[in-house]
Amino acid sequence: MFNNKELFKTVFKEQLVSRLGRSMEDATAGDIYKILGGLIREWVGQEWAKTNQNYRVQQEKQIYYFSIEFLIGRLLGNNLLNLGILKTVQDGLLDLGWDLEQIEEQEPDAGLGNGGLGRLAACFLDSLASLKYPGHGCGIRYKYGLFEQKIVDGDQVELPDNWLQKSCVWEEQRLDERVEVCFWGRVEVREKNGSPVFDTVNCEKVWAVPYDVPIIGYDSSIVNTLRLWSAQPSIDPSVIKSGEFNRHDRFLDYTRSVESISEFLYPDDSSYEGRLLRLKQQYFLCSAGIQNILRSFDKLELSYTKLPDKVAIHINDTHPVLVIPELMRILMDEKGYGWDEAWDITTRTVSYTNHTLLSEALETWPVHMVRELLPRVYMIIEEMNKRFCGMLLERYADRQYLVSQMAIIEHDQIKMAHLAVVGSHSVNGVAELHTKLLKGSVMKPFDDLFPERFNNKTNGITHRRWLMHSNSKLSHLINESIGTEWIKHPQQLLQLKSFKDDAAFQEQIMNIKRNNKLRLAAYIAQKQGITVDPDSIFDVQVKRLHGYKRQLMNILHVMHLYNEIKDAPTADHVPRTFIFAAKAAPGYLLAKSIIKLINVVADVVNKDPEVNSKLKVLFLENYSVSLAERIIPAANVSEQISTAGKEASGTGNMKFMMNGALTIGTLDGANVEMYEMLGDDNMFLFGLRSEEVLEFYKHGGYLARDVYEQEPWIKRVIDQLVVPGPFCTYDREFELIFQSILEHNDEYFVLYDLDSYAKAQAAINEAYLNPQDWASKSIVNIACSGRFSSDGTIHQYAEDIWDIRQVQPSNFV
Ligand SMILES: *Cc1c(COP(=O)(O)O)cnc(C)c1O
C-alpha cells in the first residue's frame, strides 16, 4: 500500500471515513495525522511481531538500555524515512491537498527527557534498530514530560506538558504483561533447608503496566521496542477485606500516591534531586524492567547462570542503578541462588555509563530513606558494601583511608556511582577527555582497583534524524555528490572533503543554508513578529541553561557589541543574529535570571534603530527536539563554550557540525575530538584548558575582580547589570548575576575567558567576509561529522561492552 501512491490515497480516504466519519474535504490536519499515524503503526505490526518472534526463536542475546529519560521527540517523519516510504506518502498527501510537514507538526513532541542524556538514549535506539541489533529501551511513561516553557515579560514560566492529551498513536498498552512492584513493608527471615529465606511482608503493591513503542530501523526490517512503564493501583481483594482500605479517603490516598510515581519527569538537568518520589520512580523502573527481562528469559528454559550470555543490561547514568540489587534480590530470594553465584551473574550482565563529573549531580541517597522504602534491597546494598569494604581492608591494609573513600555507604549516604562501578563489569565515560578526567579524578581509586573495567565510548547522534530528516536538501545534495553509501556508512561523508574547493558545490551548500535560514526567519517572524536578516551570521546557542554552559558569557559579549555599535554607529560591522533557546530548572534562580537578561538585551537591541540592522538577539521559547530540528540546519555558528572539563561530551555540538555550522568552542567534551579532525582552520577555539581550570580550583590564583578592574569593556558590561541604563531598569536588577561573578568569584570562569572569546568572535567575522572560504570550512565540518554518528558509537558498545551481534532478518522464519 505504501509503495503505491494511488493505492495509498484510496486506502487513506477510506480510513478517514470509516475511522473518523469524516470526508477528505472536512478533515483537519489533526485528523490527517491521526489516520496516517494509525496506518503506519498498523503496517509495522507485522515486522514488529516478526522481529520479536525471531529474537525468541533464535535466542539472540538482547541488550536492554535502562534510562530514566528518553527524549524521543516526534516519530512520524522519522518512521516514514526509516520505512523508506517518505516520498510516496509525501506525494500522496500533496495530491490530497496536504503538506506533510504541516501534518508532522500535529504530533506532540514526546519530551520524556531533560536534554543530552535523554536524547542520547533516543539516538541509540534508532541506531540499534537500524544496525539490526537486538536492543530495547526501558523507561517510564511520564504522564507529563518536561515542562512547556513560555516567556512572559522576559521571564520563564513553566506549564505542564500534557503530551498524552491527544493520545499517542504509536504506543501499545500491554496489560497482560504488567508486573507488580513492592514498596515499604518489613523483611521477615525464616529458615528453609537450613538456609535463611527473606520475605517482605505488608508492602504496598503497585502495578507497572507496559506501553510499547515500536522502534523502526532504517531499511533494516527490524522493529525493536521501547517499553515505557506506567504505575497503576493494584488492589488485592485480600488487602481490601483485611480492612486496609475500609476508609474511602485512604483508598484515594493510595491511588493518588501510586499514580504520582509515573506522573511527571523531574525537570532537573545536571543537578541532583534527592526526593522520595524520585527514588520511587527509579526503583519502579528497575524492578519492572528486571522482572520483565527475567520473564522473557524464562521462556528460553535455560539456567540463570546463562543470563549474561543472553542478556546485557545497560544503565544510562546511575538513575537505574537499583537494577543491580534488584537482580540480586530476585536471583537469591526467588530463584534460590547463593550470594556468590548471584553476584557473578549480576556483574557479568550489567554495564554503566557515567555522564557527569559535576559533584552536585552525583547521586546519593540517605540510608534511612532506602531502608524504609526498599527494606530488602537495602539489606542487599548493605551486604555489597560489607563485602566490598572487607576486600578493600585486606588489599589496602596500609592505606585504610581508601576504604572510606571508596565505600558504597558512607556517613549514612549511599553513593550510587560507587554502587554502579562495583556491581557492573564495564564503566564508560562519554568522550575521551571526560573518560580521562573520570579515571584521573572522581573514579581514580576505582580505576586503580579495576583498570579493565573503565573505557571510553564517545557519544554520537543519529544522522537519520539530524541530517536526513531535519535537513533533507543537504542530504540530497550529498547523495548527488558522493552517492548514498554514507547513509549506511556515515564515515563515508569524508569523501565530501574533495568538494571543499569546488565552487559549484560551495554555491549549493550556501544556497541550502540560506534556504534553511529563510525558513527559520519565517518561524521567528510568525512567533515573535521580528524580522531577521538572512544574510547576517546566524549564531546559535541552544541547550539547557546552566552556569557551566556559559550562556552568560555569550550574552555579556552581545552587550559589549551593542556598546561598540552605540559608541561608533557608522563603523562597519558584520551583521549577526544571536539565537538562544534554553530551559532552566524551575528552582535554578541564577539560570532564570540569565534567561531574563537575554530577553532584556534582546528587547533593547532589536528595538534600537541604530543597532538592529547589525545586531539582533532572539530567545526562542520552549527548546525541544522539534525546535532543535528547525534551528540547527539554519545555523552558521555553533556556540559550544562550556567551562573546560565540565561538559562531559555534548551532542548538540555534533548536530551543528553535521549541518555545516562552524563551532566556536572550548576544548571540552567531544569538542576535543572535533578539533582533532578539524584543526584551527575549521574551528574557532578559545579559552582555558581543562588542566588550567583544575589548577585554579586546586590552588586558587584567579580573582574575577582583577579582570573586572583591568579590562574596561568588561567592567562596563558587568556594571550595566546593576546600574540603571540600557539593560537594567531599576537599581541592581541583575544583582544575582553580578554577585555570582564578583562575590562568588565566577565559578565558571566567565570573565577569565571573556576576552579570548571576544577575539575568537572577531575571527569569525573575518572569516565570514570570505563566503567561499566559509563554505569550504562548512563542507569540511560536514565531511568530518560522520565520525559522530551514533551508529559508530553503538557498534563499539556492541563489541566492547555488550557482546551482541547484528541479526540477519533474511534468516528470519
Ligand atoms: C541534542 C539536544 C540536547 C543536548 O544539547 P547539548 O548542547 O549537548 O547540551 C538538549 N536538548 C535537546 C532538545 C537536544 O536535541
Side-chain angles (χ1 to χ4, degrees), residues 323-334:
V323 296
I324 293 167
E326 179 66 1
L327 182 54
M328 289 292 289
R329 183 187 71 79
I330 296 178
L331 289 172
M332 294 191 299
D333 296 358
E334 292 175 18

Side-chain angles (χ1 to χ4, degrees), residues 47-48 50-51 82 129-130 132 216-223 809-810 812:
E47 288 197 329
W48 200 4
K50 208 164 149 184
T51 302
N82 285 10
S130 297
K132 307 180 193 171
I216 300 165
Y218 179 88
D219 186 28
S220 74
S221 305
I222 291 289
V223 181
S810 53
F812 278 8

Side-chain angles (χ1 to χ4, degrees), residues 71 109 113-120 123 146 269 459 461 465-466 541-545 548-549 551 583 622-629 632 638-640 647 649-656:
L71 188 46
D109 219 291
N114 273 289
L117 174 143
R119 184 54 231 172
L120 183 77
C123 283
L146 185 61
D269 185 67
N459 281 168
I461 55 166
R465 180 177 292 264
W466 296 109
Q541 187 171 20
V542 289
K543 49 182 76 243
R544 281 302 287 258
L545 211 136
Y548 82 82
K549 291 178 183 279
Q551 283 94 349
K583 289 178 184 176
N622 203 36
Y623 187 52
S624 56
V625 173
S626 53
L627 188 56
E629 289 179 72
I632 292 170
S638 161
E639 299 267 355
Q640 307 300 336
E647 184 77 88
S649 164
T651 48
N653 46 2
M654 302 168 186
K655 299 168 195 166
F656 282 98

Side-chain angles (χ1 to χ4, degrees), residues 546-665:
H546 202 288
Y548 82 82
K549 291 178 183 279
R550 300 203 289 193
Q551 283 94 349
L552 178 59
M553 187 163 66
N554 188 341
I555 198 66
L556 289 175
H557 172 251
V558 173
M559 289 161 67
H560 166 57
L561 293 181
Y562 172 87
N563 291 337
E564 276 191 332
I565 297 172
K566 291 304 276 184
D567 290 349
T570 54
D572 270 348
H573 285 273
V574 184
R576 276 242 205 175
T577 302
F578 287 92
I579 297 170
F580 294 84
K583 289 178 184 176
Y588 191 173
L589 298 185
L590 182 60
K592 287 186 145 178
S593 149
I594 293 169
I595 289 180
K596 173 82 177 189
L597 176 63
I598 296 170
N599 280 301
V600 165
V601 172
D603 201 47
V604 171
V605 166
N606 299 343
K607 283 187 178 147
D608 188 331
E610 221 169 29
V611 177
N612 64 17
S613 60
K614 298 157 194 155
L615 191 61
K616 283 244 164 68
V617 181
L618 281 304
F619 187 98
L620 303 185
E621 64 188 3
N622 203 36
Y623 187 52
S624 56
V625 173
S626 53
L627 188 56
E629 289 179 72
R630 190 185 283 278
I631 295 174
I632 292 170
N636 297 117
V637 173
S638 161
E639 299 267 355
Q640 307 300 336
I641 58 179
S642 53
T643 312
K646 299 276 180 196
E647 184 77 88
S649 164
T651 48
N653 46 2
M654 302 168 186
K655 299 168 195 166
F656 282 98
M657 181 189 189
M658 197 172 267
N659 283 275
L662 306 196
T663 301
I664 178 168

